[in-house]
Amino acid sequence: MSPQRSNLADTLHGLDGRSYGNLKQIRGRYRFGSVTLFVDRVQADPFASPSKVRVRIEHADAKLPPELITDRQDRIAAADYLLRAGNTALGRFDRKAIILGRPGQEVLERTNVRIDDAGVEARLLVNLPARGRRILGHRAADLLTQDLPDLARAMFLCEKWNGGVDGFRQHVQLHRDQLELRDHLGEAGLVGFIGNGAILPRSAGDSDEPMDAAHAVPFASPPELEHTVELSSGRSLTGMGIPCGVTVIVGGGYHGKSTILRALERGVHPHIAGDGREWVIADPGATAIRAEDGRAVTGDDISPFIANLPSGTDTRSFSTTNASGSTSQAANLVEAIEVGARTLLIDEDTSATNFMIRDSRMRALIPAEREPITPFVDRVRPLLDRRGVSTVLVAGGSSAFFEVADHVIALDAYIPRDVTEQAHELVGIDPAALSGAVTDDDAVTDDDSVGTPAPRVPTAKALRPASKTKSARAKGTDRIQFGRAFIDLLAVSQIVDAQQTAGVAEALEYLAEIFDGRTAITEALAEIDEMLDEQGIDGLTGHRDHPGHITRPRAQEIAAALNRYRELRLVE
Ligand code: ADP
Ligand code: MG
């Protein structure tokens, strides 16, 4: 680290009007009272990616309540609060010059603010001011020596916050309660929970903010599924518990079915107060499964769903550059289970009908051995019984799933009712006939179809594109450029924002280092998760001082990107 210099302002004033390259010399560390400023990387010219700058205050000066920033999970919530405080304060500064990163409705582990044992720091991206290719030295001096220290104080000193220390405490406590509820769900045999009073609809199709209270109908659980949890904080929550098993959501069009499913998709992450989904909590591995024709598939075992193709192709290791609706949905499903999803979220709106169901007349007309597809309706019970995979499914147009459902929920003008009994009566089944979990000695011979597939092992070079430049780069939320190829993530609905996509891109580079021709995809993803739990999100990048802005992705989303990489190659 270069020696500490106090006179950054003088230097910058002196550089006014000089050519931009001269800014390189300001790299270093500077003190402004309790604030330390680090200029880690100076952009080469005004049009290059912004400079990397950090501001830091040590705990002795920041005086954050220590009991709220000791635990790893608390630090995630606390850092999220500080980042939001920074965004509020940013209104006073030049938003084009100072890039802090803007969090959405979820509380996630991000690189933007880091709380370590010694202090707290913000990682900023700063566009150092210029006119043409000349340095605007006076403006740069104000920005770096006044605005940034001011911003640091606004973020990190509790007396500057709108909500004061109480708001901070509540933010961390809400996060604790949400995680406790999540743990409780697992123990109580539930895959999801939707609190009474939750606001599920969003204000618009392109917004993640809640619909305004005047229009939104708050959630209310049917009495049969109502579940109450007392948390250790003293908070008591009542809402709908979605049990492990097969849950089917029915109801007329436009009655709120997809909205529930989408809330559960996002329920894998904690939410901020006021979001409306604070108490919508899903199994953290829950994964949305949809059809996605056109995607590439590399070596997936889709044989539980698709076998005996007329071409003779072996679907136990199925590859294509252009999957159909049904094969893509099958691939999405087996890939999700491969990375450990034990809850599948499936919406009729985005499913391939021939993947989901086949009606009795069609079964009569086309003999089973002439039909390569075994529809999901025939596999949903074996998946549960043999592999412990639950499904929450929206199906408004077909009764086919009544026979295999543990619970049927009907939505009527956004209000759910438990209609399991009527649905079972309609199809004439005795609920006791639905199998429970199959125990090991209960060998089911005719349903080996959904057994554990062979591990997929990428080649050592699978993720090493020919071009030597930094290989993976997020392009917005829905695309990653990887070498010369593009990975299309439009159908991966659980990616939260572009910053998380950037996290996925970093993870792909990390995976490139792990793959050696012997390591399975599942092992490599587990290794990343372990590293992240141990080192935190900074561990994902090579730049520890200033890692830029990335958000921790789930293994599900990393796998989703890997699986959509068209150059992925497996060891035979
Ligand atoms: P479905 O899948 O049953 O056809 P959607 O979930 O797509 O219905 O919802 C239809 C519309 O109703 C959407 O515009 C959605 O925002 C709105 N909506 C959903 N749930 C609620 C609710 N609880 N209160 C008010 N509006 C809602
Ligand atoms: Mg719908």
Side-chain angles (χ1 to χ4, degrees):
M1 190 160 293
S2 51
Q4 181 170 321
R5 280 184 297 162
S6 51
N7 239 332
L8 178 60
D10 288 351
T11 309
L12 287 167
H13 288 302
L15 286 174
D16 188 65
R18 306 263 308 275
S19 78
Y20 207 82
N22 287 295
L23 271 176
K24 280 246 158 359
Q25 63 186 276
I26 68 165
R27 267 196 56 183
R29 175 164 63 136
Y30 308 91
R31 275 304 283 254
F32 303 94
S34 61
V35 179
T36 310
L37 174 85
F38 299 84
V39 180
D40 292 315
R41 200 182 138 270
V42 179
Q43 62 205 105
D45 69 73
F47 314 102
S49 358
S51 303
K52 288 180 157 184
V53 176
R54 284 174 292 146
V55 285
R56 183 178 172 90
I57 298 184
E58 305 308 318
H59 287 314
D61 297 309
K63 300 195 182 68
L64 300 172
E67 73 281 8
L68 299 179
I69 53 164
T70 306
D71 172 77
R72 201 182 98 74
Q73 289 294 345
D74 282 355
R75 279 185 185 178
I76 292 173
D80 178 85
Y81 186 88
L82 302 176
L83 178 59
R84 289 171 199 277
N87 270 280
T88 306
L90 210 52
R92 302 204 302 273
F93 304 106
D94 180 354
R95 279 175 176 277
K96 284 212 188 79
I98 307 172
I99 301 160
L100 189 51
R102 207 184 214 319
Q105 300 295 100
E106 282 84 17
V107 176
L108 294 164
E109 185 176 359
R110 305 177 181 91
T111 48
N112 310 54
V113 172
R114 175 185 163 84
I115 301 174
D116 55 39
D117 291 339
V120 47
E121 75 180 28
R123 284 76 173 265
L124 307 167
L125 301 174
V126 176
N127 285 305
L128 294 171
R131 173 173 297 129
R133 291 185 187 276
R134 305 270 153 204
I135 301 167
L136 284 177
H138 308 307
R139 190 160 335 146
D142 286 351
L143 182 71
L144 290 177
T145 71
Q146 289 173 25
D147 293 355
L148 291 189
D150 267 358
L151 177 63
R153 285 184 285 267
M155 287 180 88
F156 301 149
L157 303 181
C158 26
E159 69 265 20
K160 308 269 186 188
W161 301 332
N162 290 341
V165 97
D166 280 344
F168 183 62
R169 197 178 301 280
Q170 283 160 20
H171 192 81
V172 175
Q173 187 59 50
L174 176 61
H175 188 252
R176 285 180 183 171
D177 285 354
Q178 290 171 345
L179 296 188
E180 188 182 332
L181 177 57
R182 181 158 103 182
D183 290 345
H184 164 83
L185 296 189
E187 290 155 20
L190 301 174
V191 298
F193 179 89
I194 305 180
N196 290 342
I199 302 297
L200 308 185
R202 302 291 94 191
S203 69
D206 61 351
S207 165
D208 203 31
E209 314 232 318
M211 182 181 277
D212 63 281
H215 296 102
V217 176
F219 187 83
S221 172
E224 297 87 341
L225 291 170
E226 201 159 79
H227 187 89
T228 297
V229 191
E230 313 285 346
L231 299 178
S232 56
S233 64
R235 201 188 301 252
S236 167
L237 292 162
T238 300
M240 181 173 85
I242 302 173
C244 293
V246 178
T247 304
V248 176
I249 301 174
V250 301
Y254 231 60
H255 279 255
K257 303 182 297 296
S258 298
T259 302
I260 287 205
L261 209 65
R262 229 167 288 131
L264 288 170
E265 280 182 16
R266 284 305 178 88
V268 300
H269 299 301
H271 286 87
I272 56 170
D275 173 75
R277 299 170 297 187
E278 295 91 312
W279 306 113
V280 181
I281 310 280
D283 162 6
T287 304
I289 305 297
R290 55 169 291 165
E292 187 186 349
D293 55 303
R295 66 159 282 195
V297 176
T298 309
D300 282 354
D301 180 356
I302 57 168
S303 63
F305 301 100
I306 295 162
N308 306 321
L309 288 175
S311 58
T313 306
D314 181 5
T315 55
R316 280 170 306 173
S317 177
F318 179 77
S319 299
T320 177
T321 58
N322 187 4
S324 67
S326 52
T327 51
S328 63
Q329 193 159 5
N332 287 350
L333 194 150
V334 300
E335 288 165 358
I337 296 177
E338 180 182 40
V339 261
R342 291 295 169 266
T343 306
L344 308 178
L345 306 172
I346 304 182
D347 193 336
E348 60 181 356
D349 292 353
T350 48
S351 291
T353 307
N354 62 344
F355 173 77
M356 298 298 286
I357 54 175
R358 188 157 65 249
D359 70 20
S360 50
R361 289 189 192 126
M362 197 55 88
R363 285 180 204 253
L365 186 66
I366 308 289
E369 65 274 14
R370 307 298 303 166
E371 170 53 89
I373 302 178
T374 305
F376 182 63
V377 66
D378 292 352
R379 291 290 187 236
V380 65
R381 292 304 311 181
L383 278 174
L384 176 66
D385 298 338
R386 308 291 300 176
R387 314 261 335 248
V389 175
S390 293
T391 299
V392 183
L393 178 103
V394 167
S398 165
S399 62
F401 282 91
F402 290 180
E403 282 169 66
V404 293
D406 296 294
H407 297 278
V408 181
I409 298 166
L411 279 177
D412 185 10
Y414 320 124
I415 300 293
R417 275 186 306 127
D418 185 327
V419 296
T420 311
E421 264 183 41
Q422 293 102 297
H424 282 167
E425 264 168 38
L426 274 173
V427 292
I429 62 153
D430 169 7
L434 289 173
S435 48
V438 177
T439 56
D440 281 343
D441 16 271
D442 233 341
V444 175
T445 41
D446 61 344
D447 251 325
D448 292 344
S449 52
V450 297
T452 312
R456 291 189 302 147
V457 178
T459 63
K461 289 196 178 139
L463 288 188
R464 294 189 189 278
S467 84
K468 267 283 285 160
T469 53
K470 181 176 158 55
S471 44
R473 199 181 291 273
K475 300 277 178 190
T477 307
D478 301 325
R479 228 153 63 118
I480 290 175
Q481 180 167 14
F482 197 28
R484 278 199 208 102
F486 286 93
I487 302 175
D488 182 354
L489 300 172
L490 205 60
V492 185
S493 58
Q494 285 171 289
I495 291 186
V496 166
D497 58 21
Q499 195 177 304
Q500 193 170 52
T501 307
V504 172
E506 292 288 353
L508 290 177
E509 298 214 338
Y510 201 95
L511 283 175
E513 302 295 320
I514 298 177
F515 288 135
D516 53 3
R518 289 185 300 276
T519 308
I521 289 175
T522 48
E523 293 168 330
L525 289 166
E527 190 175 327
I528 289 192
D529 261 342
E530 230 166 82
M531 179 280 292
L532 285 170
D533 286 343
E534 217 168 88
Q535 303 180 21
I537 180 70
D538 283 10
L540 209 48
T541 77
H543 310 278
R544 299 263 170 155
D545 282 348
H546 193 317
H549 292 166
I550 62 172
T551 297
R552 178 169 177 172
R554 298 188 307 163
Q556 309 292 344
E557 278 71 57
I558 302 172
L562 178 66
N563 284 319
R564 283 163 182 75
Y565 180 46
R566 288 178 180 272
E567 312 298 319
L568 180 62
R569 296 291 175 267
L570 304 180
V571 174
E572 294 297 313

